[in-house]
Amino acid sequence: IASSFAGLASTVANLHGFLTRRKEGELANFLGENERAVMGDDVEAVSNAGNQLERGVPESPAMVRIPAGIAAAHDRYRERFVDASDESARQPVVLFVVQPNETNTVDQRLLEFALWERHRIPVVRMSLAEIHARVTLDEDDGRLTLDGGGEVSVVYFRAGYAPTDYPSGYDTTTANGSGIEWLARERLERGIAAKCPSMGYHLAGTKKVQQELARAGAVERFFPPSEGDEAAGIRTAFAGLYSLGDDANGEDMAAVREVLFGDGRSRYVLKPQREGGGYNYYGDDLAAKLRDNCTVTTEGKSDDGDEADVELSPTLSEFILMERLFPPQQRAILLRNGQVEGTGMTISELGCFGTIVASGEGDVIHNEYAGFLLRTKFSGVDEGGVASGFATLSSPYLC
């Protein structure tokens, strides 16, 4: 998917790398405390065995490799659909789909600038409503063309992931302006331009699809038996993901019972099909949400709930129940809007960017690791979005 903060996270990593090198002596105790918090009793053995030259904040290649991935899709489009002998043909453009009044423009512009500086690929930014008014689809050959001329090689979605990105509604059958964002999205999807993400990848980013992929046997479909236990190794990195829909099985209902009748409220989080933080249910709010949307019959059953009949409301089908992760706590100083927000114990979440370009038949044209993103928040904060104000951008420190 078109993930945020690759540009800003790379810049923050460069800043942290400079500070930890420049102030190495002053930060020794601070970094040592956090190293022990993460490594525990193994810290001395690991430090003695490791190459000291590799310690510190690594450089993130995100602003090189993400533009390279988009450029690979752009070049693939030109090879397939642009007549190289036509000297009058205009350079295709990459279309950034953005929100009206976008607040994360700096991060997006860094990627736009890198595409031009490294690959001489121009970028055009439009909202879905603007696309509905200004981008046309040739029904014969599938080309997407801007109103000022020039065709679109790659559609890069930095919007379109939330219901708020489709404010005019869902009814596309009337002529009153309703549903124009959905009509624009349909037009883009029907075009031959490469999509980031493709519809399949977009759906794979939803909680429900991730929960289905965590089902027994689902991952194994993608790995032939000749590759041994690779699927089992991948499963070791999965958190528990449980359905609350009409496909809920015994394992799913056991997790629900833990929340309703045991201490599961502290071990699980209720998540809708949304991104960015601010929409989840934790602790007592989680337990209350399930109680309000479950019918529990205990007549003739044991008091501990093990034998109680639990019926899930259809309302819960838009959520999944997820096992919570509890990473090591480290001391940190968090800044927001140029001011010190506070100092205290924090937890972090590491994500890695990757780029892949593939044909509709599944042939992989380009596939590589493309940098990292680390988000840090105070340990007492449940939610974790950066744009929503719960977390801050940070960097890993290798030790």
Side-chain angles (χ1 to χ4, degrees):
I1 64 172
S3 302
S4 296
F5 299 122
L8 293 178
S10 301
T11 303
V12 169
N14 291 337
L15 169 66
H16 287 159
F18 166 78
L19 291 174
T20 52
R21 293 189 299 270
R22 178 68 177 81
K23 302 292 184 179
E24 183 177 7
E26 298 171 53
L27 293 173
N29 291 337
F30 179 82
L31 293 174
E33 175 190 345
N34 285 334
E35 191 172 341
R36 289 186 293 273
V38 174
M39 305 299 296
D41 296 336
D42 297 329
V43 62
E44 294 299 331
V46 173
S47 296
N48 292 334
N51 182 349
Q52 295 299 304
L53 295 177
E54 296 180 356
R55 294 171 64 88
V57 178
E59 183 176 351
S60 174
M63 280 297 94
V64 174
R65 294 188 178 175
I66 292 179
I70 295 176
H74 173 84
D75 292 343
R76 171 79 170 173
Y77 180 92
R78 295 190 64 181
E79 292 171 5
R80 298 178 65 199
F81 302 118
V82 177
D83 183 358
S85 64
D86 184 0
E87 297 183 357
S88 64
R90 296 179 59 174
Q91 160 86 307
V93 304
V94 172
L95 176 62
F96 278 23
V97 183
V98 299
Q99 294 176 330
N101 304 313
E102 176 65 63
T103 59
N104 194 23
T105 53
V106 173
D107 182 65
Q108 297 170 6
R109 291 290 187 184
L110 289 172
L111 179 55
E112 176 185 340
F113 299 158
L115 276 168
W116 179 254
E117 293 297 328
R118 293 182 176 275
H119 304 281
R120 287 296 186 263
I121 297 175
V123 168
V124 174
R125 297 164 55 87
M126 291 186 189
S127 68
L128 285 169
E130 290 173 321
I131 289 168
H132 181 263
R134 299 176 53 193
V135 177
T136 58
L137 170 68
D138 188 314
E139 295 288 350
D140 294 326
D141 62 17
R143 296 177 190 269
L144 294 167
T145 305
L146 306 178
D147 56 356
E151 60 191 85
V152 178
S153 62
V154 179
V155 179
Y156 180 67
F157 287 99
R158 290 296 292 258
Y161 298 92
T164 51
D165 290 329
Y166 304 88
S168 69
Y170 298 88
D171 185 1
T172 61
T173 62
T174 63
N176 62 0
S178 175
I180 60 172
E181 293 85 11
W182 282 112
L183 289 170
R185 180 67 186 266
E186 179 190 35
R187 188 178 304 164
L188 296 177
E189 295 295 341
R190 292 175 60 212
I192 59 174
K195 317 299 188 306
C196 179
S198 65
M199 184 59 72
Y201 266 88
H202 189 164
L203 291 174
T206 64
K207 302 299 187 296
K208 181 60 183 177
V209 173
Q210 292 169 3
Q211 173 257 304
E212 286 297 319
L213 288 173
R215 292 280 198 205
V219 174
E220 286 75 7
R221 292 171 49 205
F222 303 97
F223 295 91
S226 60
E227 297 188 16
D229 293 333
E230 188 165 357
I234 291 174
R235 283 191 173 280
T236 63
F238 284 11
L241 300 169
Y242 306 97
S243 174
L244 299 177
D246 55 11
D247 61 334
N249 59 24
E251 186 179 10
D252 301 324
M253 295 307 298
V256 172
R257 291 173 186 278
E258 270 195 76
V259 176
L260 292 175
F261 309 117
D263 59 357
R265 69 185 63 188
S266 64
R267 296 185 53 242
Y268 297 96
V269 54
L270 188 67
K271 290 191 170 187
Q273 312 303 309
R274 300 292 300 273
E275 294 293 340
Y279 309 102
N280 302 330
Y281 292 83
Y282 300 84
D284 292 340
D285 292 335
L286 161 60
K289 182 71 172 179
L290 288 188
R291 283 197 304 270
D292 292 345
N293 290 278
C294 288
T295 302
V296 179
T297 303
T298 58
E299 184 177 353
K301 310 292 183 179
S302 64
D303 293 334
D304 60 10
D306 288 343
E307 298 179 4
D309 292 327
V310 178
E311 182 180 349
L312 303 174
S313 164
T315 303
L316 290 175
S317 62
E318 67 179 276
F319 297 89
I320 67 162
L321 199 59
M322 177 179 171
E323 181 184 10
R324 292 192 67 176
L325 306 177
F326 296 96
Q329 296 188 26
Q330 303 175 67
R331 188 171 303 280
I333 303 166
L334 303 190
L335 289 85
R336 190 182 305 279
N337 297 326
Q339 303 293 322
V340 175
E341 184 176 9
T343 303
M345 301 309 292
T346 64
I347 56 176
S348 298
E349 177 184 4
L350 176 67
C352 293
F353 296 109
T355 58
I356 183 168
V357 180
S359 70
E361 293 72 37
D363 298 323
V364 176
I365 292 100
H366 174 97
N367 185 10
E368 68 177 352
Y369 160 75
F372 57 79
L373 168 69
L374 191 78
R375 297 180 293 184
T376 298
K377 63 182 181 180
F378 287 120
S379 57
V381 176
D382 286 325
E383 296 286 359
V386 173
S388 52
F390 298 104
T392 59
L393 294 176
S394 189
S395 309
Y397 185 90
L398 303 182
C399 51

